[in-house]
Amino acid sequence: MYQQWIRDFEVESFRNNLVTWFQNEQRDLPWRHNQTPYKVWISEVMLQQTRVDTVIPYYKQFLELFPSLEALAEADEQKVLKAWEGLGYYSRARNLHSAVKEVHEKYDGVVPEDPKQFGQLKGVGPYTQGAVLSIAYGKPEPAVDGNVMRVLSRIMSIWDDIAKPKTRKLFEELVRILIDTNHPSDFNQGLMELGALICTPKTPNCLLCPVREQCRAFSEGVQAELPVKSRKKPPRSLEMTAVILRNSQGELLIRRRPSTGLLANLWEFPNHEMVIESETQVDQLKAYIEEDFNIKVNITKHALNIKHVFSHLIWNIKVYEAETTDEISQIEGECFVNRDQLRDYPFPVSHQKIIEYILND
DNA sequence: CAAGCGTGGTC
DNA sequence: TGACCAAGCTT
């Protein structure tokens, strides 16, 4: 069915214009130096749903901490999560770590270049599979991300909703036809670079576009209306409490979150989903804490309020200070630590504001 | 398939 | 200032 679109389309010109433009105009980015499959892989996972400017410092630090696939494979997950702290979507870090360990053990430390094998690793979806195999190994595989869908929807004037999973498959088939098999890496990166620098979501700079002559949306003047993307539901609000609980030595109680779901395996201050509007409900909070940790506590004061916005929900956190003279039983994932030890644990950004409050105290 | 899963930048 | 966005994957 795509042949119909391709028939009158100057495929050769498009490929040459795009690849030549990329070779001349590409940005100088850290992961474009001394490329190895390992480094390409790290960068591609970090870049999932994340801006280049945000990734750069994380990428540099990550490679200093884990300079080789073997180094990452042998690292503790807590160290990996700590290196990922603040970058978001933390399952990326845990899946990457797990996948790298699998490559280390099963493939003797060599990133597999068979699409089927590489694609089966944790955290490697259709995009990452194509991106790593084309960039690192020169395989003519499609790497369809948001940029590519935006660029090609304009080039070919495709009005399908790019928020639908089905639409990505359509673009993958299209790229399989269009891709420059002599320069798969430059072609794929060229599409993404074009989307990042020229064919931007709002007010694309068509006058500087190397493939303007091949763009149907430009010739029809509809580039600003593409791509079509349905919007998702607004996040729901959750009323939360958190407690800064000190023992008699002034140490702070923290705990590790569950190994699945939101912020999995990160650490946090004890918290509950509950509304506090009166003093009686502070007593309820006290009861929750005493039940959770089987100790007696006193809530001493209200510390601060935090509003934290996730992609799919909003936390409104009321933070209190509390003290206890009891010790908790030593359970894995719960412990008292002193102020200086806090920096050794990975915390979500929402709780960084609590840490700031403690350190400024 | 739709929803869950983070964060910081932008206009 | 709130909505949208940024090189997606998993369930």
Side-chain angles (χ1 to χ4, degrees), chain A residues 104-297:
Chain A
H104 183 54
E105 291 159 17
K106 195 194 288 186
Y107 300 114
D108 199 25
V110 180
V111 178
E113 54 181 303
D114 172 22
K116 210 165 286 178
Q117 288 182 332
F118 184 63
Q120 272 174 342
L121 298 167
K122 280 187 186 171
V124 178
Y127 165 75
T128 306
Q129 177 183 346
V132 172
L133 293 187
S134 64
I135 296 171
Y137 290 127
K139 302 270 182 195
E141 294 288 321
V144 175
D145 69 342
N147 281 315
V148 173
M149 289 195 284
R150 182 174 61 256
V151 169
L152 289 182
S153 71
R154 286 171 175 163
I155 297 288
M156 311 295 284
S157 188
I158 294 171
W159 296 76
D160 295 55
D161 183 356
I162 66 168
K164 304 286 185 189
K166 192 176 173 185
T167 306
R168 200 208 70 245
K169 297 192 173 196
L170 187 155
F171 282 105
E172 279 180 359
E173 292 311 307
L174 187 53
V175 170
R176 285 194 188 281
I177 295 170
L178 295 179
I179 195 167
D180 185 340
T181 52
N182 293 317
H183 308 278
S185 170
D186 290 345
F187 181 88
N188 279 342
Q189 291 190 78
L191 282 178
M192 293 188 277
E193 196 81 342
L194 191 64
L197 300 181
I198 307 285
C199 197
T200 48
K202 294 170 185 176
T203 63
N205 200 340
C206 299
L207 295 184
L208 293 182
C209 182
V211 290
R212 182 180 62 242
E213 296 300 319
Q214 286 81 45
C215 185
R216 248 183 94 176
F218 178 71
S219 71
E220 296 167 6
V222 295
Q223 64 271 21
E225 299 168 44
L226 288 169
V228 175
K229 186 177 185 181
S230 59
R231 38 168 306 207
K232 35 186 184 178
K233 298 191 320 184
R236 61 194 169 93
S237 282
L238 235 46
E239 301 307 309
M240 307 279 293
T241 63
V243 175
I244 300 167
L245 177 61
R246 293 183 175 85
N247 65 12
S248 50
Q249 293 138 55
E251 295 169 323
L252 305 147
L253 181 59
I254 59 174
R255 70 180 176 200
R256 189 168 57 207
R257 293 179 59 84
S259 60
T260 58
L262 183 65
L263 305 167
N265 281 4
L266 270 65
W267 291 71
E268 65 182 6
F269 296 90
N271 59 83
H272 295 85
E273 181 186 344
M274 63 175 290
V275 180
I276 291 195
E277 286 167 344
S278 71
E279 287 302 314
T280 7
Q281 287 160 318
V282 176
D283 289 342
Q284 183 61 54
L285 171 60
K286 169 183 159 76
Y288 281 150
I289 299 294
E290 293 184 333
E291 185 184 352
D292 274 9
F293 300 99
N294 194 26
I295 53 177
K296 289 292 178 192
V297 306

Side-chain angles (χ1 to χ4, degrees), chain A residues 45-50 54 58 81 83-94 263 266 308 310-311 347-349:
Chain A
V45 174
M46 285 190 170
L47 285 163
Q48 288 168 11
Q49 299 288 282
T50 311
T54 303
Y58 280 91
L81 283 174
W84 211 271
E85 185 182 60
L87 198 50
Y89 286 143
Y90 298 97
S91 67
R92 289 184 296 173
R94 293 184 300 109
L263 305 167
L266 270 65
H308 189 79
F310 297 89
S311 52
F347 283 89
V349 168

